[in-house]
Amino acid sequence: MTTADDAAAPGSRGPFTAAEETAMRAALDAARLGVRGANPVVGAALLGADGTLLHVGHHRGAGTEHAEVDALRQAHEAGTPLHGTTMVVTLEPCRHTGRTGPCAEAILAAGIPRVVYAVADGTETAGGGGAFLAEHGVSVAHGLLEREARELNDRWFLAQRRRRPFVSLKIAQSLDGRVAAADGTSQWITGAPARAEGHALRTRVDAILMGGGTLRLDDPALTARAEDGTPLARQPFRAVMSTRPVPDDARVRRGVAPDAPDDGLFVHLPTHDPHEALAELRSRGVGHVLVEGGPTVSAAFLAEDLVDELWLYQAPVLLGEGAAAVAPLGIGTLADARRWRSDPVGLPGGVPAVGSVGEDCRWHLAPAAPPVIEPPAVPDHHLI
Ligand SMILES: NC(=O)C1=CN([C@@H]2O[C@H](COP(=O)(O)OP(=O)(O)OC[C@H]3O[C@@H](n4cnc5c(N)ncnc54)[C@H](OP(=O)(O)O)[C@@H]3O)[C@@H](O)[C@H]2O)C=CC1
Ligand SMILES: Nc1c(N[C@@H]2O[C@H](COP(=O)(O)O)[C@@H](O)[C@H]2O)[nH]c(=O)[nH]c1=O
Ligand SMILES: [Zn+2]
């Protein structure tokens, strides 16, 4: 089947050697060690002219070096000669300068004569590296293990096509699926190790979002903090989705410096429409949003299929009464239930999707039905 992707992608669709396929499998395994969010997970393997797997790199999340650069750095440190090598990468090498430099130029500068990638980047900003390399005389082929590579980042590709941030939802619930006791108290359902994971996630995202209900009941600061309460170095935007005014003395306005007037990270989103909320955050450069409830806002994002990954922590606590984790979604019968699957990509270093964190249980999930694999939107630089 020919897709818009094929029409836009440079180079051939193969044939590929057995060594290239082995290298791509190693690159896919390496990609799974990364974290997904504003950026996809990506792996890159350097293959010697004789088919030997030389170095395998991966991307460790937005702001860190890209997979190809990781592999090239390893080669440099080991003194590996690069003539005759092939760069095998799970995503088309980027050609833009974002938080890091363009991989396509790094590959060209390294004198690598062949590049094999699985799936086109497809974003307006970073796509086009394959064409750039082909124009500069590099042998470029794409489509090797494309389905596997696409599955690894399926919801990330979907978010890109829809021009919205990647959305994570975090829920900390009791054994009986409640996120607060009858009187609204919810601090703390889960234990310290699970909360520490939550703060590590907060520091990786660009914005944390809560609803007006949580603001009014809990007055949270929405900052990323270490276990002893000290602020972590990287702080995200703090967004409140509420049509009512946010009080001047709300902690979410202040962030990590309670006495400072305004750190520029507080955002009031006076809407009940999650699409509108995401569009506003994207206009501020947000690529990854963490929704931290409560149940009304969680349901609003879930109802619109806007949750790309779910971090669900379940504590061995029974409440019997209190708010359910998610407000009604209009599901009347089991056949209409929303099913989720383990997300193979998660915490840095490939921590398992389902596991224990202290006394609690962690589930890292993605919607079970992968999005319909449409061809990626043709990037603007391919439009006439
Ligand atoms: N354990 C956990 O993981 C968490 C638990 N909680 C608990 O949840 C409880 C609060 O739940 P809840 O009241 O549902 O809080 P929410 O945080 O979901 O806020 C709901 C409010 O947000 C506004 N809002 C934004 N979008 C929508 C929408 N699409 N539809 C309707 N209203 C919208 C409305 O405020 P407005 O009228 O101002 O527009 C609404 O009253 C608290 O007890 C809190 O402790 C909260 C977060 C995490
Ligand atoms: N992670 C990754 C790529 N990711 C691409 O680069 C974009 C982000 O770049 P930056 O702003 O520098 O973080 C991201 O949106 C995606 O299009 N590309 C690659 O060549 N290799 C990588 O390992
Ligand atoms: Zn890159």
Side-chain angles (χ1 to χ4, degrees):
M1 186 184 68
T2 304
T3 64
D5 190 13
D6 284 329
S12 69
R13 264 200 165 262
F16 302 103
T17 65
E20 285 171 347
E21 184 172 332
T22 303
M24 186 63 87
R25 290 197 190 283
L28 286 164
D29 285 344
R32 287 186 192 97
L33 300 175
V35 289
R36 205 192 300 100
N39 281 5
V41 290
V42 184
L46 261 173
L47 194 58
D50 62 352
T52 313
L53 194 54
L54 299 172
H55 301 284
V56 184
H58 73 279
H59 179 56
R60 292 168 175 79
T64 68
E65 65 188 0
H66 286 189
E68 302 89 317
V69 173
D70 185 24
L72 287 173
R73 188 184 38 74
Q74 292 178 37
H76 179 74
E77 284 168 8
T80 309
L82 294 174
H83 56 82
T85 59
T86 298
M87 178 69 84
V88 177
V89 54
T90 58
L91 181 73
E92 176 185 13
C94 68
R95 75 173 296 180
H96 83 309
T97 301
R99 286 162 281 234
T100 63
C103 291
E105 284 179 28
I107 291 167
L108 193 65
I112 294 174
R114 179 166 164 82
V115 170
V116 172
Y117 66 84
V119 61
D121 181 303
T123 65
E124 284 163 38
T125 41
F132 171 87
L133 287 162
E135 280 156 26
H136 286 81
V138 175
S139 153
V140 177
H142 63 94
L144 176 59
L145 301 183
E146 178 174 353
R147 189 179 53 80
E148 288 84 341
R150 208 177 272 287
E151 268 177 6
L152 213 50
N153 288 308
D154 56 7
R155 291 293 301 206
W156 185 86
F157 283 117
L158 180 80
Q160 293 296 320
R161 285 199 297 279
R162 305 260 157 97
R163 294 170 196 272
R164 63 162 174 81
F166 187 83
V167 178
S168 303
L169 170 64
K170 199 204 96 184
I171 293 174
Q173 69 173 36
S174 66
L175 276 182
D176 50 339
R178 298 173 197 279
V179 290
D183 64 353
T185 50
S186 65
Q187 288 167 344
W188 302 108
I189 293 174
T190 49
R195 294 206 304 277
E197 260 190 36
H199 279 277
L201 178 59
R202 281 184 171 190
T203 198
R204 285 199 276 118
V205 305
D206 301 318
I208 309 173
L209 182 151
M210 68 172 161
T214 303
L215 166 78
R216 289 184 285 270
L217 269 153
D218 296 353
D219 189 22
L222 295 192
T223 52
R225 300 180 300 275
E227 257 177 84
D228 63 2
T230 48
L232 297 174
R234 186 173 179 276
Q235 292 293 328
F237 281 108
R238 305 178 300 277
V240 178
M241 218 173 136
S242 167
T243 52
R244 293 180 241 180
V246 175
D248 286 345
D249 61 351
R251 293 173 68 213
V252 67
R253 282 190 177 274
R254 301 277 173 270
V256 295
D259 301 325
D262 178 7
D263 65 358
L265 293 175
F266 168 68
V267 187
H268 183 194
L269 302 164
T271 178
H272 284 182
D273 180 351
H275 296 279
E276 241 177 66
L278 292 179
E280 172 58 31
L281 291 172
R282 188 173 194 255
S283 76
R284 294 173 189 242
V286 167
H288 188 186
V289 177
L290 174 62
V291 177
E292 287 207 39
T296 307
V297 158
S298 300
F301 279 81
L302 286 163
E304 294 294 314
D305 188 24
L306 285 171
V307 176
D308 300 309
E309 65 166 11
L310 173 60
W311 292 97
L312 187 112
Y313 294 91
Q314 189 163 30
V317 174
L318 267 177
L319 289 170
E321 287 175 67
V326 178
L329 287 169
I331 298 168
T333 181
L334 193 60
D336 296 338
R338 302 279 197 90
R339 305 249 172 210
W340 295 71
R341 65 183 161 94
S342 295
D343 192 324
V345 173
L347 294 161
V351 171
V354 182
S356 52
V357 197
E359 288 290 298
D360 303 325
C361 179
R362 171 209 322 112
W363 298 64
H364 180 215
L365 304 169
V372 178
I373 302 200
E374 324 148 22
V378 179
D380 286 355
H381 57 261
H382 287 127
L383 299 175
I384 300 164

